Amino acid sequence: MSTVTLEDARRVIAAAEARAVEVGQPMNIAVVDVGGNLVAHVRQDGAWIGSVNISINKAWTSRAFDIETKALGENSQPTQQFYGIHATNGGKVAIFAGGVPLSRDGVVVGAVGVSGGSGEQDQTVAEAGAAAF
Amino acid sequence: MSTVTLEDARRVIAAAEARAVEVGQPMNIAVVDVGGNLVAHVRQDGAWIGSVNISINKAWTSRAFDIETKALGENSQPTQQFYGIHATNGGKVAIFAGGVPLSRDGVVVGAVGVSGGSGEQDQTVAEAGAAAF
Amino acid sequence: MSTVTLEDARRVIAAAEARAVEVGQPMNIAVVDVGGNLVAHVRQDGAWIGSVNISINKAWTSRAFDIETKALGENSQPTQQFYGIHATNGGKVAIFAGGVPLSRDGVVVGAVGVSGGSGEQDQTVAEAGAAAF
Amino acid sequence: MSTVTLEDARRVIAAAEARAVEVGQPMNIAVVDVGGNLVAHVRQDGAWIGSVNISINKAWTSRAFDIETKALGENSQPTQQFYGIHATNGGKVAIFAGGVPLSRDGVVVGAVGVSGGSGEQDQTVAEAGAAAF
């Protein structure tokens, strides 16, 4: 089984951090492995303390459903097919932008989660992280 | 890093209490420090017991995201960018009016949370508290 | 039904604070009413942040079982009659010194909980608070 | 009030990782700031997934009570003054070796928590981390 090593996670986080600096918004960045378990997390100085949990949950959610949290969110609005999913799994399911799967040979083997700014900011930072995987 | 002392918290609470008396609605009032940890709480006689938790959570939320809970609530409605955030952080994220950051030299160093009446009442009492900081 | 007013709680807290200053250990002090619901809490500057929750739980426990938490603790050790009680009520039952009932005309109508030092320190500060009721 | 920056946390984690390699046991290492909020976490390849939470909780506990978790544990055994504390704070209080405060000018401003091996192994890795602060 392929997974995400600590070295992989650090490369992803470094790329995400660099993008956050460009965006000008300090971020929480978390990476989980194929089992959805945390490999590494950083909170940049000044980033929201309420986003520690959210960054980890976004990463977990992306791996748990092999999907970007942004896309899951679109399916989780009132009247949509997954409405209510955010209350499952002990509240660990994040349904807004910032969680992106990490894939190898077309298979999801982990994910990165970013929280600390607007949905658009979180998404671009997470994408930069994923691109470095 | 600056924070909120107990003396600060008492001054904020006294101003909020006075405003609650003017409004004619007994309130729960809570103040947290820079780390989001509770410094002081009071429940005025007759105030809702279900609002003890909410006042503390509003204060925590305002510091955790450096934002008024009223503004966070606008971004957390269905289809908005933070929809679902109320289910994160173990349910501690309050997304309705009454939480206001406490700032010093332009930096958020704590927050006040108020719960016990309508959103409008909670908000005006919280603002009166924050103005005394 | 008699209970603890905010004015009562403030008198109890003031006496407890004074004793904590004498003892030389900053404390968290919480008061609950006849329903076990929080009336007021203060954290003195420098007091442990892990004791916010414990002070509130000690006060709740003292009212919930109309007993000092120190006495409950003696009955809650392994092999004793209440062993395991600390895991009930969602973890709100504190079984170490620092929670003291507040009585009026021989009836428990609330409680004070103190946390921030040794068991002996917490107990003397709680007793000073209760004596002012 | 002083705190722990991400740069500080990385220095602490690097020293702890190096010690874990010497010990030959992969570890989870977490650092929290003055408010008890997570700054950074790493799980070395092969480290226990059940220790992600424990490393974070050990760091939180050390800061929350300004004490090594090893020392807190000694006071939290049956019949000791803090017995039952592990059930408070929503189960976040870790009472076994591996959490060490980070101090600056004699004041605790954060903590490091390590989990992944025996108590002795966790402790030596945490001490190595703290020594680098």
Side-chain angles (χ1 to χ4, degrees), chain C residues 52-126:
Chain C
V52 173
N53 172 275
I54 296 174
S55 64
I56 296 172
N57 286 0
K58 283 182 182 172
W60 180 84
T61 301
S62 272
R63 169 56 190 119
F65 300 104
D66 294 350
I67 194 172
E68 292 198 2
T69 54
K70 186 182 173 185
L72 183 65
E74 289 161 8
N75 284 303
S76 304
Q77 299 300 315
T79 77
Q80 300 303 306
Q81 63 176 336
F82 295 140
Y83 173 60
I85 200 170
H86 62 287
T88 69
N89 285 277
K92 285 200 299 178
V93 181
I95 57 171
F96 39 110
V100 174
L102 300 176
S103 298
R104 189 170 280 146
D105 303 329
V107 178
V108 178
V109 297
V112 56
V114 173
S115 181
S118 68
E120 204 176 333
Q121 290 173 326
D122 293 355
Q123 183 68 21
T124 188
V125 171

Side-chain angles (χ1 to χ4, degrees), chain B residues 45 55 100:
Chain B
D45 296 339
S55 65
V100 174

